[in-house]
Amino acid sequence: QVQLVESGGGLVQAGGYLRLSCAASGSFFMINAMRWYRQAPGNQRELVAGITRGAATNYADSVKGRFTISRDNVENMVYLQMDRLKPEDTAVYYCNADVVLTTRSQVVQWGQGTQVTVST
C-alpha cells in the first residue's frame, strides 16, 4: 500500500501565499517524478507543476514565477510554495507521484486533495 497525503491548504486573500506539502508513505522502492495538479469546480484537472527525482522542474504558464515546486527525497515529500495568489488559483490541489513498488513495477499514485481558496 502506498499513500499520498496533502496538507497546507486554506483560505487566503489575493496576493497572499500558502505552502502545500505532500507526504508519501507505505511500502515502495522509490519515487520518480512528483507533480501537483489542481481542479476547480466545472473545470478539467490541470497539471500545475512537476519535478523529477533529479529535481528538474516544469510549471504551467499560469503559475510560472509565482509557484515553486521542490522535493525531499529522504523524507519522500514534495512541496508547492504558492506566492502572489490570485482568485483563479482557487481549486482542490492534488499530489501525484510515479511510485516504483518493491516489485519494481511502477504505479501512478494520487492524493485525496487539499482545498485552496483565494478571496478577492
Side-chain angles (χ1 to χ4, degrees):
Q1 182 185 341
V2 180
Q3 292 180 313
L4 300 179
V5 180
E6 302 96 335
S7 62
L11 173 64
V12 297
Q13 293 183 226
Y17 59 89
L18 284 173
R19 180 177 170 87
L20 306 183
S21 300
C22 173
S25 63
S27 181
F28 54 87
F29 178 68
M30 65 183 296
I31 299 175
N32 289 326
M34 303 186 83
R35 310 168 189 88
W36 287 97
Y37 286 78
R38 68 186 181 188
Q39 187 168 25
N43 289 15
Q44 301 272 61
R45 187 170 298 187
E46 65 174 340
L47 178 64
V48 176
I51 185 167
T52 69
R53 183 169 179 81
T57 60
N58 65 282
Y59 299 91
D61 287 342
S62 59
V63 307
K64 284 181 180 175
R66 299 189 298 119
F67 290 10
T68 303
I69 188 171
S70 61
R71 67 187 291 167
D72 183 334
N73 290 340
V74 175
E75 298 297 327
N76 297 310
M77 300 281 292
V78 63
Y79 307 93
L80 187 67
Q81 179 67 43
M82 309 165 68
D83 298 321
R84 302 188 301 282
L85 284 161
K86 304 175 180 179
E88 48 263 50
D89 294 320
T90 295
V92 177
Y93 283 70
Y94 297 91
C95 179
N96 166 281
D98 295 336
V99 181
V100 181
L101 303 177
T102 55
T103 61
R104 304 302 189 271
S105 61
Q106 184 169 290
V107 299
V108 179
Q109 187 69 42
W110 291 87
Q112 291 296 114
T114 186
Q115 177 71 48
V116 172
T117 303
V118 184
S119 64
T120 59

